[in-house]
Amino acid sequence: MTKDSLAVTDNRTGRSYEIPISDGTVHAIDFRQVKTSDDDFGLMVYDPAFTNTASCRSAITYIDGERGILEYRGYPIDQLAENTNFLETAYLILFGELPTRDELDQWTHDITYHTYVHENIKKFMEGFQYDAHPMGMLVGTVAALSTFYPDAKHVDDARSREISTGRLIAKMPTIAAFAYRHSRGLPYVYPDNDLSYAGNFLSMLWKMTEPKYRPDPALERAVDILFILHADHEQNCSTNAMRAVGSSRADPFSATAAAAAALYGPLHGGANEAVLRMLTEIGDRKRVPEFVKRVKAGEGRLMGFGHRVYKNYDPRATIIKRAADEVFQVTGRNPLLDIALELERIALQDDYFIQHKLYPNVDFYSGIMYQAMGFPVEMFPVLFAIPRTVGWLAQWREMVQDPEQKIARPRQVFTGPARRDFVPIEKRNSRREDAA
Ligand code: CMC
């Protein structure tokens, strides 16, 4: 027997099996041989919510939750946030290496010159209700893009993948900004190709009557850093949606719309909004100890604390906290910050939070910063979707080229009724399980 294997005995039959271990995993399909009889389907593994299942091999993002480490292609997130701009990090995530000067110039040019959307996309967006949620508009409009680029369905063609990748990264901020302007009843602002990726986004959001919008450098840099921090986070809910939809060979615009829809949910892209609500409800630093006491008594959670993967300080939270100081110098201090700092101070020295390994996550400070910059809460998931499009696309490109991948199709444990015969309508009694 080799060392890298698992010895399994099935107590139902007394038979033993040797299951190989590679990369710290066993293959679920190897358990299918474990049967009680020849016509037994074989053993399956049950893992709702994928809490202990690796669904792919990936070379993009590494997280060590115990030690609070996040790396894109091996580079620590703090070094990237400090030294690169968003498009440089996007290039790294997508293509595996940091670009040379020439590569970065070409990549920046390619993205910048695809920021315009077809006029019919604008008309399409104008058709939304005046108070439409900007995230709903984003999801619908990205899906609609697939009808403008039917060639994107050639997902096995490398050139087609390149073109779709560029188009999506370039047009996402335009659609996001149009959705925001729509929700405010303001005219849409066309992209300005002289500006940086973040600067152009701010121009499309905030430009009014001035002939040329000049973004505040501190805010432009802060948005760029936030984009770098949110660019990828390995197999999270929306990335899993991107891979699952893409695995059916749907075009990347449709798959991105599905990923954005997953991000729309409050458990994923909406936690920073919950943090703002919580801080507003606390209302004063003096009420923090009382609030923490209530959390410990099981009356609600400390939003922006805790993470499925990080059991240490989320490294993105440290960087955001620093960037927030620079934003507040321009926008003025968000009064909620004092409450947040006090909450963090008290929680980090409290036994309950220490024992449960609960530390601030990325959402604890991002909402305060977005609010200070003037974003309404409905824009928070939209701000998340723009940079995460890079991660979604990198993961999708990896998936379509991975020979081990097939259409994503989980198994189930069937819990419904056993076979029974049809009952004619006049002989049926109402027995619906959800009937009152
Ligand atoms: N406040 C108080 N107690 C908490 C909290 C919290 N924020 N988070 C977890 N716990 C406790 C929980 O009550 C449980 O205690 P016990 O074992 O005594 O019953 C224990 O810690 C484990 O909690 P869990 O819910 O089983 O952990 P999880 O890994 O399923 O949940 C989480 C992770 C992020 C959903 C959770 O920590 C939480 O609800 N946090 C607040 C919401 C939040 O900030 N979400 C943003 C996540 S980061 C964004 C992203 O990356 O998408």
Side-chain angles (χ1 to χ4, degrees):
M1 192 184 285
T2 60
K3 230 163 122 204
D4 291 332
S5 67
L6 188 72
V8 177
T9 302
D10 183 349
N11 291 331
R12 299 170 302 175
T13 60
R15 281 170 45 195
S16 291
Y17 304 82
E18 194 190 333
I19 311 283
I21 298 176
S22 58
D23 298 323
T25 66
V26 288
H27 286 206
I29 198 71
D30 287 343
F31 287 86
R32 189 73 72 72
Q33 60 183 305
V34 181
K35 298 180 178 198
T36 49
S37 61
D38 282 348
D39 57 359
D40 180 2
F41 180 75
L43 210 57
M44 293 192 295
V45 293
Y46 178 59
D47 188 9
F50 303 124
T51 52
N52 196 35
T53 293
S55 62
C56 61
R57 294 172 183 278
S58 181
I60 302 169
T61 292
Y62 174 75
I63 300 175
D64 180 335
E66 289 298 325
R67 292 194 291 153
I69 291 173
L70 169 62
E71 294 166 357
Y72 298 153
R73 304 281 189 184
Y75 293 102
I77 189 69
D78 52 321
Q79 291 186 24
L80 293 170
E82 177 92 33
N83 299 301
T84 69
N85 67 35
F86 172 66
L87 285 183
E88 202 174 346
T89 286
Y91 187 100
L92 169 72
I93 290 174
L94 285 158
F95 308 117
E97 295 297 338
L98 284 166
T100 62
R101 166 60 54 203
D102 284 351
E103 285 167 341
L104 180 60
D105 288 348
Q106 184 64 49
W107 169 241
T108 305
H109 176 275
D110 290 350
I111 297 299
T112 305
Y113 284 86
H114 284 101
T115 47
Y116 270 67
V117 291
H118 194 289
E119 278 296 288
N120 286 350
I121 281 286
K122 207 182 95 189
K123 285 192 203 138
F124 175 86
M125 294 185 77
E126 280 164 357
F128 280 101
Q129 184 70 324
Y130 72 94
D131 58 353
H133 194 294
M135 192 62 178
M137 289 181 74
L138 183 92
V139 171
T141 309
V142 173
L145 275 186
S146 73
T147 65
F148 288 76
Y149 303 113
D151 283 355
K153 64 174 173 289
H154 301 302
V155 298
D156 290 316
D157 176 56
R159 181 80 195 120
S160 170
R161 289 198 298 269
E162 287 309 302
I163 294 171
S164 299
T165 299
R167 281 186 172 138
L168 270 159
I169 294 169
K171 294 181 201 312
M172 212 63 176
T174 313
I175 297 169
F178 282 12
Y180 170 74
R181 300 283 292 202
H182 184 92
S183 68
R184 297 273 129 160
L186 292 166
Y188 302 169
V189 175
Y190 287 103
D192 180 343
N193 292 350
D194 294 340
L195 297 175
S196 71
Y197 191 81
N200 171 50
F201 178 52
L202 292 178
S203 167
M204 291 188 291
L205 289 170
W206 310 128
K207 186 171 183 285
M208 295 307 284
T209 54
E210 66 273 42
K212 178 107 188 152
Y213 178 86
R214 302 208 182 278
D216 183 290
L219 298 189
E220 185 181 0
R221 182 67 190 138
V223 168
D224 211 53
I225 290 176
L226 283 161
F227 282 0
I228 291 171
L229 301 183
H230 286 89
D232 195 47
H233 212 228
E234 50 116 308
Q235 307 311 313
N236 54 85
C237 177
S238 57
T239 300
N240 185 54
M242 180 86 188
R243 280 180 173 263
V245 173
S247 77
S248 75
R249 292 309 194 251
D251 70 86
F253 294 96
S254 303
T256 300
L263 186 66
Y264 199 171
L267 295 186
H268 191 4
N272 45 14
E273 182 182 341
V275 173
L276 278 192
R277 268 203 310 273
M278 174 190 75
L279 295 175
T280 310
E281 187 196 312
I282 297 172
D284 194 303
R285 306 179 60 219
K286 291 198 212 86
R287 287 217 282 277
V288 167
E290 175 200 321
F291 179 80
V292 170
K293 216 162 141 189
R294 285 200 344 246
V295 169
K296 285 163 61 179
E299 299 169 33
R301 289 197 163 189
L302 180 45
M303 300 312 289
F305 263 64
H307 198 277
R308 173 66 63 79
V309 178
Y310 294 116
K311 301 300 167 200
N312 202 323
Y313 216 99
D314 179 341
R316 300 169 299 174
T318 322
I319 301 165
I320 287 194
K321 202 173 159 188
R322 267 202 315 267
D325 284 338
E326 283 165 32
V327 166
F328 296 147
Q329 278 174 23
V330 178
T331 61
R333 199 174 162 84
N334 187 335
L336 296 180
L337 180 68
D338 291 328
I339 303 172
L341 288 171
E342 182 66 357
L343 254 182
E344 181 184 333
R345 191 184 69 77
I346 292 187
L348 289 185
Q349 60 191 26
D350 188 289
D351 272 356
Y352 174 90
F353 293 90
I354 295 169
Q355 270 164 22
H356 286 78
K357 297 190 176 174
L358 298 169
Y359 295 87
N361 60 48
V362 69
D363 289 319
F364 193 62
Y365 288 106
S366 63
I368 307 175
M369 192 161 152
Y370 290 147
Q371 193 184 51
M373 290 170 85
F375 289 108
V377 285
E378 309 84 67
M379 277 300 282
F380 292 4
V382 176
L383 292 165
F384 194 158
I386 297 170
R388 185 53 60 86
T389 299
V390 167
W392 292 333
L393 287 164
Q395 301 270 350
W396 166 75
R397 291 158 64 105
E398 195 174 61
M399 184 271 303
V400 292
Q401 293 176 87
D402 181 347
E404 285 187 339
Q405 290 292 342
K406 297 177 180 203
I407 186 166
R409 206 301 186 186
R411 294 279 174 179
Q412 65 168 7
V413 177
F414 180 67
T415 61
R419 184 199 174 282
R420 48 186 173 166
D421 287 326
F422 177 76
V423 181
I425 196 160
E426 57 283 0
K427 293 202 174 151
R428 292 177 210 159
N429 298 319
S430 178
R431 291 192 302 196
R432 244 175 69 169
E433 280 171 12
D434 58 353

